[in-house]
């Protein structure tokens, strides 16, 4: 079958933006005609595109690995994983194709972002590491462990994980219902499927893994949390990515309380908006009196007393627990200073594009998160992350009051070269710091009121 490329593929291979490809299509009558795809996402024969670019003196080079990827893309999208798994390629080429596969199916596969992988692995170590929901193996592959063991429900992803890690043991099957891993690990790492509500609640009611309580039907993440702990040796670590709501939902408070009393929870760290990393240890010896609740990755210094968490809510949310000791917080803020407002100047309006076009023109692995928690994967060498975050925040800031829908990708924004984006990005950063400072000031005022009312601090 003939190799085809999309406009996005052409932009990436020619190292230009998608807007440039659209311009070529409009300006040049001899630009190749689409041979497939849709009106909004046409496909072109690769050989025709190569010939046209060469005739017009455009830089364009298809590496052997890229050409192999265009051949794979001729398969039906639903069969693309199977085609990749069956491909005979060396390890380096297979990794390249795997990255392209993740980019093409990021919504379906929901891969763990590289920066989150780094945080997870920085908190765990050991000779034997297990991932009971390993997907295509990104967490396991990045681990330095000598003995790597994984399990994955999707058979195609499991095969890809085996191809990427020939020396690892990768089991296929439902890890909660049919655990295939018999060894115990020094560390367990896991980014479990949170949204699977059919996780086996009825079948697993009396399961021996529920040491800390039967997970509520609607809280599969608490089942995964206890499953991961069950796979560790005494004293072993488990690093599990969880939805932030799992730290405070009322149905799970009994399990959270039991984990705290046993000394199983060591830290809860917010790694992305809406996503926390829970660091646990299979309890051995005396339970710790303090745990770490952190609003961003950093040193795991225990900063919160366990006894203060064992209230009616057992809320382990880092954001809600920061600064709960009003007197200590106020003592540390003798002269609260806000970040100064950046200098803003009038200038001629630049040409416009849309947020959607910006993102399409710079595909990559760096994740930028919008105020709603939606994520965009970009190449920071072609689209400045601070600029993108700023225009996303600006888009939501100007949403009309009462509006419930906003098509962010159609929002018009300045079309700027990368150096100018970075200048804008620096100013967006200053505005964000100012916004955070104002929020912190409001938080400080609230603590003052609460501290005075509760008698924990006295008037000046």
């Amino acid at each position: 079958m003939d190799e085809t490329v999309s406009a996005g593929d052409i932009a990436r291979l020619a190292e230009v933006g998608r807007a440039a490809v659209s311009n070529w299509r409009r300006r040049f009558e001899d630009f190749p005609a689409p041979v497939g795809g849709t009106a909004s996402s046409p496909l072109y024969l690769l050989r025709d595109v190569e010939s046209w670019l060469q005739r017009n003196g455009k830089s364009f080079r298809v590496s052997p690995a890229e050409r192999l990827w265009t051949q794979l893309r001729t398969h039906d999208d639903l069969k693309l994983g199977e085609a990749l798994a069956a491909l005979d390629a060396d390890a380096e080429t297979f990794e390249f194709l795997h990255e392209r596969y993740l980019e093409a199916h990021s919504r379906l596969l929901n891969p763990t972002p590289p920066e989150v992988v780094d945080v997870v692995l920085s908190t765990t170590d050991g000779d034997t590491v297990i991932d009971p929901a390993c997907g295509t193996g990104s967490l396991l592959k990045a681990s330095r462990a000598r003995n790597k063991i994984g399990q994955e429900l999707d058979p195609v992803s499991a095969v890809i994980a085996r191809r990427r890690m020939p020396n690892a043991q990768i089991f296929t099957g439902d890890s909660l219902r049919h655990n295939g891993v018999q060894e115990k690990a020094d560390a367990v790492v896991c980014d479990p499927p949170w949204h699977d509500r059919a996780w086996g609640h009825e079948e697993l009611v009396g399961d021996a893994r529920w040491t800390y309580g039967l997970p509520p039907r609607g809280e599969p993440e608490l089942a995964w949390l206890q499953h991961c702990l069950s796979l560790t040796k005494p004293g072993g670590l488990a690093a599990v990515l969880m939805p932030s709501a799992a730290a405070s939902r009322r149905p799970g408070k009994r399990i959270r309380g039991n984990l705290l009393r046993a000394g199983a929870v060591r830290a809860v760290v917010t790694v992305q908006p809406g996503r926390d990393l829970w660091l646990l240890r299979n309890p051995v010896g005396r339970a710790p009196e303090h745990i770490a609740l952190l609003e961003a990755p950093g040193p795991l210094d225990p900063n919160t007393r366990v006894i203060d968490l064992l209230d009616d809510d057992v809320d382990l949310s880092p954001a809600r627990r920061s600064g709960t000791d009003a007197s200590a917080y106020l003592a540390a803020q003798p002269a609260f200073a806000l970040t100064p407002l950046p200098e803003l100047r009038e200038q001629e309006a630049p040409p416009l594009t849309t947020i959607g076009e910006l993102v399409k023109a710079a595909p990559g692995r760096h994740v930028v998160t919008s105020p709603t928690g939606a994520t965009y994967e970009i190449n920071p060498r072609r689209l400045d992350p601070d600029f993108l975050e700023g225009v996303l925040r600006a888009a939501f800031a100007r949403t009309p009051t009462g509006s419930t829908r906003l098509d962010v990708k159609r929002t018009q924004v300045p079309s700027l070269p990368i150096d100018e984006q970075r200048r804008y990005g620096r100013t967006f950063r200053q505005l964000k710091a100012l916004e955070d400072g104002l929020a912190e000031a409001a938080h400080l005022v609230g603590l003052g009121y609460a501290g005075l009312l509760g008698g924990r601090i006295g008037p000046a």
Side-chain angles (χ1 to χ4, degrees), residues 8 12 18 103 358-365 377-380 382:
R12 176 165 46 80
R18 285 179 61 98
E103 290 173 8
L358 281 176
V359 173
K360 286 179 184 176
R365 303 297 296 156
E377 295 185 355
I378 62 165
N379 181 345
R382 297 172 64 180

Side-chain angles (χ1 to χ4, degrees), residues 424-442:
Y424 271 69
R426 286 192 291 271
T427 301
F428 278 134
R429 272 203 313 274
Q430 287 179 272
L431 289 172
K432 178 64 167 58
L434 177 65
E435 182 181 28
D436 291 343
L438 290 169
E440 189 74 4

Side-chain angles (χ1 to χ4, degrees), residues 405-458:
R405 299 187 64 186
L406 173 66
D407 190 347
V408 175
K409 290 188 176 181
R410 293 188 180 183
T411 301
Q412 290 194 320
V413 296
S415 177
L416 303 170
I418 186 65
D419 290 342
E420 191 69 5
Q421 288 179 24
R422 288 170 181 147
R423 286 205 319 117
Y424 271 69
R426 286 192 291 271
T427 301
F428 278 134
R429 272 203 313 274
Q430 287 179 272
L431 289 172
K432 178 64 167 58
L434 177 65
E435 182 181 28
D436 291 343
L438 290 169
E440 189 74 4
H443 181 57
L444 177 63
V445 170
L447 288 173
Y449 278 117
L452 287 165
L453 183 63
R456 288 189 291 175
I457 60 176

Side-chain angles (χ1 to χ4, degrees), residues 39-100:
S40 61
S41 183
L43 294 175
Y44 307 86
L45 285 177
L46 175 59
R47 63 171 182 268
D48 291 348
V49 172
E50 284 184 287
S51 297
W52 185 88
L53 290 168
Q54 289 167 358
R55 289 199 307 273
N56 287 273
K58 310 292 185 185
S59 174
F60 185 84
R61 178 180 176 274
V62 183
S63 67
E66 285 279 10
R67 192 172 297 280
L68 197 52
W69 171 243
T70 63
Q71 293 169 4
L72 278 176
R73 287 304 304 268
T74 61
H75 291 82
D76 182 278
D77 273 359
L78 295 177
K79 301 291 184 181
L80 185 57
E82 295 178 19
L84 173 62
L87 190 68
D88 183 15
D90 62 83
E92 184 178 354
T93 300
F94 195 87
E95 277 301 300
F96 172 88
L97 297 173
H98 173 257
E99 286 298 310
R100 290 283 181 265

Side-chain angles (χ1 to χ4, degrees), residues 33 70 86 97 109 139 145 162 187 243 252 260 286-287 369 419 429:
T70 63
L97 297 173
L109 297 170
L139 277 171
R162 292 187 192 104
L260 283 173
R286 184 178 178 181
T369 304
D419 290 342
R429 272 203 313 274

Side-chain angles (χ1 to χ4, degrees), residues 212 225 229 247 253-268 278-280 283 286-293 304-311 313-316 321:
Y212 304 97
L225 199 72
L229 270 175
K253 73 173 186 176
R254 177 170 172 266
I255 292 176
R256 293 195 299 271
N258 289 337
L259 287 164
L260 283 173
R261 293 184 189 93
V265 181
R266 295 305 173 96
V268 178
W278 288 47
L279 186 64
L280 307 107
R286 184 178 178 181
E289 296 181 357
H290 293 75
I291 68 170
L293 297 182
T304 306
R305 295 193 310 167
V306 170
I307 192 66
D308 292 335
L309 297 169
L310 291 170
D311 55 16
D313 297 319
V314 196
D315 187 345
L316 306 187
R321 285 292 164 178

